[in-house]
Amino acid sequence: MKVPHLGNGNTYIVPPQRNRPIARPPRWIIILLCLVSVCLIGAYIYPPGQYPACYFFSSSVCSPIKYWLPPIARELTDDEFASRVVIKNILSMPLVWPKHPKIAFMFLTPGSLPFEKLWETFFLGHEGRFSIYIHASREKPVHVSPLFVDRDIRSAKVVWGKISMVEAEKRLLANALQDPDNQHFVLLSDSCVPLHNFDYVYSYLMGTNVSYIDTFWDPGPHGNARYTEHMLPEIEEKDFRKGSQWFSMKRQHALIVMADSLYFTKFKLYCKPGFDGRNCYADEHYLPTLFTMIDPNGIANWSVTHVDWSEGKWHPKSYRAEEVTYELLKNITSIDESYHITSDEKKVEMLTPCVWNGSKRPCYLFARKFLPEGLDNLMQLFSNYAIV
């Protein structure tokens, strides 16, 4: 075939071309590239936030890993930047597992503990694996169990619904953190009772690498309507959460609570009854909001302490002596889904499976609110219902 050559008018003979298939990369390369892209996108959206589990029977040193903190589009304030540096370092520091790790049981109570004898039954025979701390806000407790003698810490007045409740929690944590063997920290009230025997509770808490901090999104008047823009720029409404104050947390998270002043100050100043026309209660919002912001993958989003809000009142249901039966306790111990309901008109109910190390397990290790009159029934039933 003759074609003109552009530029000089001469013609050249161009040999006929055979129809050749266009070269394409092998299919496996395309698939590989797609998988890599998906992994990179997934790593950006859902970054890792947990370290390998350190089992309670191990004395090995846990390997440090890099923790992820949620990115912020705006420029950080100086205080916010300093806070994130401290939090990131605490989360990423290597964990030296002690030879004899313990659980710190921290009782927040107005005075004496009506269920000391029941707790004594729970603790006996397990010395060296637990510590007890008591914050009595109104009067010095009278102890009936030798395990609780001399376990009172310096306490201050606590007013329901005010920041003094959170300050008491921090006071308990500060005392418990002084013992390096304490690796898990459980907050309990004077109306709390154990639902399982000690070995079960110990393995449940020591065998996982998350904290049991209750948190959920509530757009209603008892949830996000309590938020105020005075918390900006550090705390945005989208991060504001609600949850039970009765937590169980690992040592790293306890250290963060003690180190935090930035977010705590925001709640101390702006989350209180009557402020800005709102009734905000810091004990229901501070920890759920803090850990949703700084380590959302490190919390379980439910509390291991059961409480019954089905009566729809300001306070949960209290169990009288005649209600304390084997059937009641077994029903509570068999619950394996956490329940939340929003406070808006929609009343959206949320059921979430309680997952322990990848497996669905019962949610609750403790329960409240039991009245003191139920002690005898609980003592008689404990050896039966507390069997794993």
Side-chain angles (χ1 to χ4, degrees):
M1 179 176 64
K2 294 183 179 180
V3 296
H5 184 282
L6 296 178
N8 59 15
N10 295 330
T11 60
Y12 296 88
I13 304 297
V14 179
Q17 299 290 322
R18 293 183 179 179
N19 292 329
R20 285 184 170 181
I22 298 175
R24 297 179 179 177
R27 183 176 298 177
W28 68 268
I29 294 180
I30 298 174
I31 295 174
L32 180 61
L33 290 173
C34 291
L35 288 174
V36 171
S37 300
V38 169
C39 290
L40 290 174
I41 294 172
Y44 178 78
I45 298 176
Y46 303 105
Q50 297 181 4
Y51 51 82
C54 299
Y55 294 103
F56 63 91
F57 50 78
S58 172
S59 61
S60 61
V61 178
C62 297
S63 301
I65 73 158
K66 295 181 179 179
Y67 276 80
W68 171 82
L69 288 176
I72 297 181
R74 59 178 170 78
E75 184 177 3
L76 300 178
T77 64
D78 288 343
D79 289 342
E80 198 173 6
F81 181 77
S83 177
R84 289 170 69 87
V85 169
V86 172
I87 290 170
K88 185 176 181 179
N89 274 274
I90 291 175
L91 288 175
S92 60
M93 68 182 183
L95 297 180
V96 180
W97 208 245
K99 291 183 178 180
H100 305 289
K102 295 189 293 186
I103 298 175
F105 291 84
M106 308 180 304
F107 292 88
L108 180 57
T109 175
S112 298
L113 294 167
F115 298 113
E116 268 192 23
K117 278 296 181 183
L118 178 64
W119 284 103
E120 181 183 58
T121 302
F122 172 79
F123 287 127
L124 280 178
H126 303 285
E127 290 75 8
R129 295 202 290 168
F130 67 88
S131 302
I132 297 173
Y133 303 87
I134 305 164
H135 184 292
S137 60
R138 295 181 188 170
E139 58 186 23
K140 184 176 177 60
V142 176
H143 299 297
V144 296
S145 166
L147 295 179
F148 287 78
V149 175
D150 297 328
R151 302 313 306 157
D152 306 306
I153 69 168
R154 187 190 68 80
S155 305
K157 183 179 179 181
V158 173
V159 179
W160 179 83
K162 294 191 176 182
I163 196 67
S164 57
M165 186 77 76
V166 180
E167 290 171 335
E169 295 171 8
K170 295 185 71 169
R171 202 172 289 118
L172 281 162
L173 284 172
N175 279 269
L177 280 166
Q178 292 185 82
D179 186 343
D181 288 342
N182 288 333
Q183 295 297 309
H184 216 94
F185 303 78
V186 181
L187 181 68
L188 299 162
S189 76
D190 55 308
S191 68
C192 284
V193 301
L195 293 174
H196 297 273
N197 63 38
F198 184 89
D199 284 328
Y200 183 92
V201 171
Y202 188 85
S203 63
Y204 196 108
L205 295 179
M206 291 297 194
T208 185
N209 58 9
V210 297
S211 292
Y212 294 95
I213 297 173
D214 187 35
T215 174
F216 73 104
W217 169 267
D218 180 4
H222 299 159
N224 276 58
R226 296 172 175 175
Y227 173 82
T228 173
E229 291 185 352
H230 286 87
M231 292 187 172
L232 291 172
E234 292 87 356
I235 302 173
E236 301 179 39
E237 184 177 0
K238 67 179 180 62
D239 297 318
F240 195 72
R241 293 293 188 274
K242 182 180 179 178
S244 169
Q245 76 175 107
W246 307 105
F247 62 77
S248 169
M249 66 174 63
K250 58 187 180 181
R251 189 174 182 89
Q252 285 174 309
H253 284 164
L255 288 170
I256 288 174
V257 173
M258 296 310 304
D260 173 50
S261 62
L262 173 64
Y263 302 106
F264 174 76
T265 301
K266 289 283 185 175
F267 279 88
K268 185 173 184 176
L269 294 175
Y270 307 122
C271 180
K272 50 189 175 181
F275 178 81
D276 205 17
R278 298 167 169 83
N279 287 322
C280 185
Y281 306 106
D283 58 285
E284 295 182 1
H285 297 284
Y286 169 57
L287 291 180
T289 300
L290 174 67
F291 285 101
T292 295
M293 293 177 62
I294 67 167
D295 193 16
N297 295 327
I299 59 176
N301 296 331
W302 85 85
S303 169
V304 287
T305 299
H306 175 269
V307 68
D308 184 353
W309 288 97
S310 62
E311 294 180 340
K313 299 178 181 179
W314 279 101
H315 294 283
K317 175 181 174 58
S318 296
Y319 297 104
R320 301 185 300 272
E322 60 268 24
E323 296 175 290
V324 180
T325 63
Y326 177 82
E327 288 71 23
L328 169 69
L329 297 168
K330 290 306 292 183
N331 286 340
I332 295 176
T333 58
S334 66
I335 297 172
D336 58 7
E337 292 180 322
S338 65
Y339 173 81
H340 294 109
I341 182 170
T342 61
S343 60
D344 57 355
E345 294 180 355
K346 295 181 179 179
K347 301 292 182 186
V348 178
E349 297 182 325
M350 294 163 280
L351 281 174
T352 307
C354 294
V355 178
W356 183 88
N357 287 357
S359 301
K360 192 173 182 181
R361 293 279 292 273
C363 303
Y364 303 114
L365 305 178
F366 317 101
R368 60 186 300 266
K369 298 178 68 170
F370 287 81
L371 297 176
E373 64 192 50
L375 175 61
D376 289 341
N377 285 359
L378 287 164
M379 292 291 292
Q380 292 175 10
L381 294 168
F382 181 74
S383 60
N384 292 320
Y385 76 77
I387 297 175
V388 178

